[in-house]
Amino acid sequence: MAQASTKRQKTSNAARDQEFFPGIGEIEYNPDANASETLVFRHYDAHQEILGRTMEDWLRFSVCYWHSFRGEGTDPFGAATIKRPWEDGTNSVENAKRRLRAAFEFFSKLGNKYWTFHDRDLAPEGDTLAETNANLDELVDLAAELQRKTGVKLLWATCNLFNHPRYMHGAGTSCDAHVTAYACAQVKKGLEIATRLGAENFVFWGGREGYNSLLNTDVKADLDHFAAFYRMVIGYKEKIGFKGQLLIEPKAKEPTRHQYDYDAQTVMAFLHQYGLTQHFKLNIEPNHTMLAGHPYEHDVVFSSAYGMLGSIDANTGSPDLGWDTDQFPMDIRNCTMIMKTVIEQGGLAPGGLNFDAKVRRESTELRDLFISHIAAMDTFARGLKNATKIISEGILRKSLNARYVSWNSGLGARMVSGEATLEECEKVIMERGDPKPTSGHQEHFEAMFNHYM
Ligand code: XUL
Ligand code: CO
């Protein structure tokens, strides 16, 4: 008996000390690194101050668990290409724990302060909800210990309400109330573990919330049920005192033909329609924004304009492909546009920039996992610096304000305040005649923007 427990002790000590990324140390900042040195930060200097805040505080980088620690390089046409050394081919709790230790070693070396996960990425699903919850508790215990040791915090947790066959018709919008009840039970546990781990947000991405055919779908019933689901969520959140921000993540299509959370404007209209606006903000993923047929930064700008931008899934897609590719954001122009909006709204906290991105299935080495994150962090750091210049110099803003100057006084101001009437407008037009044509100067704006790249 004593021997067995000593042996078990040795095994768990060995597991604790195992290094999963040998040969890679803490990633350093070196602005002088040459082009081929991709395991260093050239622009992201965590403690450098910009506009009275550190880069780390502006950017609030987070690594996502599902792509970086559960992703194996599968795609709709191909099998796994990536084999990680911590995987033993089983879906056991033991394997899940080893994987989590590997993840925290990665976070500590990379230097991100946050992580995100789905409940089902973290721990294997059991035969019953009780068994599943017990598995989750074991993993959450370890996550709490690793968070304490490393100082890495939970940006957000979410429930996977789309993968299991039970959710094939939807979760919060299923035609079967029993299924929605299951989703509610799962979210109850999700909110409990999020509370336990101090999550700063809790995300809802409605993977199966949508329709494939309007012939078998009552869209009004679905949306009423969705609102009822969210009301129960708010009730429990308040009951247990979960302090995090609730976030909804829009996506236009995939996996369903039409997703109810199509884009930022659709989600804001839904929340408004059902009186839920004050309880939620949005988690915007630009890759999804492009699937809705919008420019990269569109939903970030729209949600921010209405005070609803809560957090960002920092990734990009290939619009030429047209499906959800979850690539690492590497485009300096795009990241500048995002950071311009983030600075203008005074920051993202309690949200952050979560890399909901995966290495390409051909990028099979462990170092690729580091390089992708480092390069994306550097791209956002450049975006932050560029946006800071744009905002500090104020030249773009001045030109923008000039375009709208007619609304600041006279009839424009009276229309905004509600004092003006159609009759008054008619009278003014009769007196003054047609408006003079004005130039939009789009190319002038684009040239000014390029000056800062
Ligand atoms: C799916 C997606 C999700 C959410 C969390 O496209 O982005 O990973 O971010 O469920
Ligand atoms: Co996402």
Side-chain angles (χ1 to χ4, degrees):
M1 187 64 191
Q3 249 179 352
S5 86
T6 316
K7 196 169 159 221
R8 212 175 307 131
Q9 189 62 40
K10 271 192 191 149
T11 325
S12 65
N13 283 346
R16 205 159 295 151
D17 299 338
Q18 195 176 346
E19 194 182 7
F20 298 96
F21 300 94
I24 298 181
E26 281 180 28
I27 306 301
E28 286 170 3
Y29 170 63
N30 177 7
D32 302 321
N34 71 42
S36 70
E37 292 174 71
T38 50
L39 277 170
V40 294
F41 293 117
R42 247 170 280 242
H43 301 276
Y44 178 61
D45 181 11
H47 302 295
Q48 188 185 321
E49 275 217 13
I50 291 192
L51 296 174
R53 247 181 247 179
T54 61
M55 283 184 122
E56 187 172 83
D57 284 347
W58 277 118
L59 297 163
R60 296 173 61 83
F61 289 128
S62 163
V63 172
C64 90
Y65 198 66
W66 54 100
H67 286 312
S68 291
F69 291 89
R70 300 307 313 261
E72 298 179 323
T74 55
D75 75 9
F77 307 95
T81 55
I82 294 171
K83 174 96 182 84
R84 300 300 186 201
W86 52 83
E87 296 292 331
D88 64 10
T90 69
N91 194 19
S92 63
V93 168
E94 196 194 334
N95 196 3
K97 288 186 179 171
R98 192 167 48 246
R99 184 187 296 129
L100 192 62
R101 289 187 192 283
F104 274 81
E105 180 190 327
F106 180 82
F107 306 155
S108 299
K109 288 182 169 176
L110 181 67
N112 57 296
K113 283 285 164 290
Y114 291 93
W115 69 304
T116 52
F117 67 81
H118 294 91
D119 50 357
R120 301 298 178 252
D121 302 325
L122 204 57
E125 196 150 1
D127 290 335
T128 62
L129 184 62
E131 228 180 78
T132 303
N133 287 350
N135 289 348
L136 204 46
D137 283 335
E138 267 201 64
L139 267 296
V140 168
D141 284 346
L142 179 59
E145 180 192 322
L146 293 169
Q147 286 192 170
R148 211 169 30 246
K149 269 194 193 150
T150 59
V152 174
K153 296 189 276 187
L154 186 55
L155 185 68
W156 51 261
T158 185
C159 287
N160 182 327
L161 302 174
F162 47 89
N163 191 60
H164 195 282
R166 77 172 70 86
Y167 294 126
M168 66 179 159
H169 305 295
T173 65
S174 174
C175 49
D176 182 354
H178 194 148
V179 172
T180 300
Y182 199 107
C184 289
Q186 188 175 332
V187 170
K188 173 180 178 287
K189 183 70 182 175
L191 286 169
E192 288 162 10
I193 65 170
T195 307
R196 163 117 205 266
L197 292 174
E200 299 189 14
N201 304 268
F202 193 91
V203 164
F204 293 89
W205 170 60
R208 301 277 164 195
E209 318 294 11
Y211 70 78
N212 288 309
S213 167
L214 284 171
L215 288 174
N216 70 357
T217 306
D218 181 340
V219 291
K220 176 68 164 50
D222 280 2
L223 291 171
D224 286 350
H225 300 159
F226 211 9
F229 164 78
Y230 280 132
R231 284 193 199 104
M232 287 187 269
V233 168
I234 294 161
Y236 196 64
K237 175 198 179 212
E238 285 168 358
K239 182 169 179 192
I240 64 173
F242 174 62
K243 295 281 179 295
Q245 170 71 56
L246 300 179
L247 298 168
I248 297 182
E249 181 175 328
K251 185 174 182 179
K253 53 191 172 190
E254 286 189 4
T256 66
R257 185 176 179 194
H258 170 84
Q259 304 267 136
Y260 289 134
D261 297 328
Y262 190 87
D263 62 2
Q265 275 191 290
T266 314
V267 174
M268 290 191 289
F270 166 82
L271 292 171
H272 189 70
Q273 172 74 23
Y274 289 96
L276 298 168
T277 303
Q278 89 229 51
H279 300 285
F280 289 90
K281 286 201 171 167
L282 271 51
N283 181 41
I284 300 296
E285 179 167 325
N287 183 40
H288 296 171
T289 305
M290 290 191 289
L291 287 179
H294 304 310
Y296 185 86
E297 63 274 13
H298 173 101
D299 271 4
V300 165
V301 171
F302 262 74
S303 54
S304 179
Y306 285 88
M308 290 294 282
L309 175 63
S311 198
I312 295 174
D313 267 6
N315 67 6
T316 192
S318 285
D320 44 333
L321 258 180
W323 46 295
D324 188 7
T325 54
D326 286 328
Q327 289 162 240
F328 280 87
M330 301 285 188
D331 184 300
I332 297 161
R333 182 239 166 242
N334 287 346
C335 293
T336 302
M337 283 301 286
I338 299 282
M339 290 316 297
K340 180 173 163 296
T341 307
V342 168
I343 298 172
E344 282 168 349
Q345 74 162 33
L348 260 185
L353 296 174
N354 173 52
F355 292 118
D356 187 354
K358 58 189 177 204
V359 288
R360 298 304 83 193
R361 69 196 296 267
E362 304 87 349
S363 302
T364 53
E365 291 178 17
L366 279 178
R367 60 190 277 123
D368 295 318
L369 203 52
F370 274 96
I371 292 167
S372 52
H373 284 91
I374 295 165
M377 289 159 85
D378 258 354
T379 310
F380 263 103
R382 291 177 81 170
L384 171 64
K385 289 182 198 168
N386 292 345
T388 301
K389 260 202 204 152
I390 293 174
I391 289 169
S392 313
E393 290 187 9
I395 296 169
L396 224 96
R397 168 57 63 185
K398 215 171 134 202
S399 300
L400 180 65
N401 290 347
R403 240 191 126 209
Y404 285 84
V405 73
S406 63
W407 289 92
N408 296 343
S409 60
L411 183 58
R414 287 172 58 72
M415 285 199 274
V416 174
S417 68
E419 291 162 78
T421 61
L422 294 187
E423 296 97 306
E424 184 185 348
C425 289
E426 184 189 50
K427 188 164 171 278
V428 169
I429 298 302
M430 293 296 186
E431 284 165 17
R432 290 200 216 150
D434 258 17
K436 278 199 215 80
T438 54
S439 171
H441 301 304
Q442 183 179 323
E443 300 78 4
H444 175 65
F445 278 84
E446 286 165 346
M448 285 192 287
F449 184 83
N450 279 351
H451 169 78
Y452 296 100
M453 290 305 101

